[in-house]
Amino acid sequence: YGLDAGYGYISSQGQGGVALKALYAQINSQERVATSQTAPPLPKDDVHYEMLHPPGMAILVAVLHWLTHRPADLAVELVGLVLDSFAAVLLCWLVGDALSPEVGGITGLINAFFPPMAFGSAASRAPEGIMAVFIVGAVVCVWLAMNREQLRWLRWCLMGGGVLGVGCYFRPDY
């Protein structure tokens, strides 16, 4: 929520961290919407611009909070649900194209209903929960690149690399 509050992509362990936790608690209790006009001033001691973690989840939370003016937890869960469902469909298509449609359908259902995946993929529990769609998407791009002429092969491989690059923004750590 620091991005919506106009603080930037920051981290803090001192008084700034206490202020960030208070802002998070106020947003989650729906007492406040984080904007640069409504957020309290941030104490400057021990505040650092975040350079160790990719900004994807912070940007996703900021955009969802800006769109809904509500805590982004549920919205992030819904985005994770949509992305995981899309990953299951992509996996179903990939295996169905490689082996047979029946095996692809079974693979998609196993992926969709695998209990540890359903629990662990919740983006609020672990940011790497939304990585499946990017990984499967890159594999699909490489699959589509196979047996193509040179220019289309290169296009699909570059698209697969781009999908993985976007996915790297959502990695929880380097």
Side-chain angles (χ1 to χ4, degrees):
Y1 300 113
L3 290 175
D4 281 335
Y7 299 150
Y9 189 46
I10 59 170
S11 66
S12 177
Q13 301 300 321
Q15 291 296 325
V18 172
L20 287 173
K21 289 175 186 171
L23 177 68
Y24 179 78
Q26 290 173 347
I27 291 169
N28 277 343
S29 66
Q30 297 185 2
E31 294 174 23
R32 179 184 307 267
V33 174
T35 66
S36 56
Q37 292 82 23
T38 62
L42 187 66
K44 298 295 183 198
D45 65 317
D46 198 32
V47 173
H48 307 284
Y49 286 100
E50 182 64 69
M51 302 301 279
L52 296 176
H53 301 285
M57 287 303 288
I59 293 170
L60 179 65
V61 168
V63 167
L64 292 173
H65 179 66
W66 178 75
L67 287 173
T68 62
H69 295 291
R70 296 203 162 313
D73 297 341
L74 180 61
V76 170
E77 293 277 342
L78 291 175
V79 167
L81 176 74
V82 169
L83 291 178
D84 282 342
S85 299
F86 187 59
V89 169
L90 282 176
L91 187 64
C92 175
W93 176 84
L94 178 67
V95 173
D97 193 47
L99 300 176
S100 73
E102 295 82 15
V103 175
I106 291 169
T107 303
L109 289 173
I110 288 172
N111 182 43
F113 294 112
F114 185 57
M117 181 71 173
F119 177 78
S121 68
S124 67
R125 292 184 189 95
E128 64 268 8
I130 63 173
M131 289 298 297
V133 72
F134 298 110
I135 295 168
V136 174
V139 172
V140 165
C141 288
V142 170
W143 176 256
L144 291 172
M146 293 169 41
N147 299 323
R148 304 270 193 240
E149 63 269 4
Q150 184 66 27
L151 183 61
R152 293 193 73 193
W153 176 85
L154 181 62
R155 187 180 317 152
W156 280 110
C157 285
L158 289 174
M159 195 177 309
V163 168
L164 280 179
V166 170
C168 286
Y169 272 166
F170 293 96
R171 286 180 47 199
D173 206 351
Y174 286 112

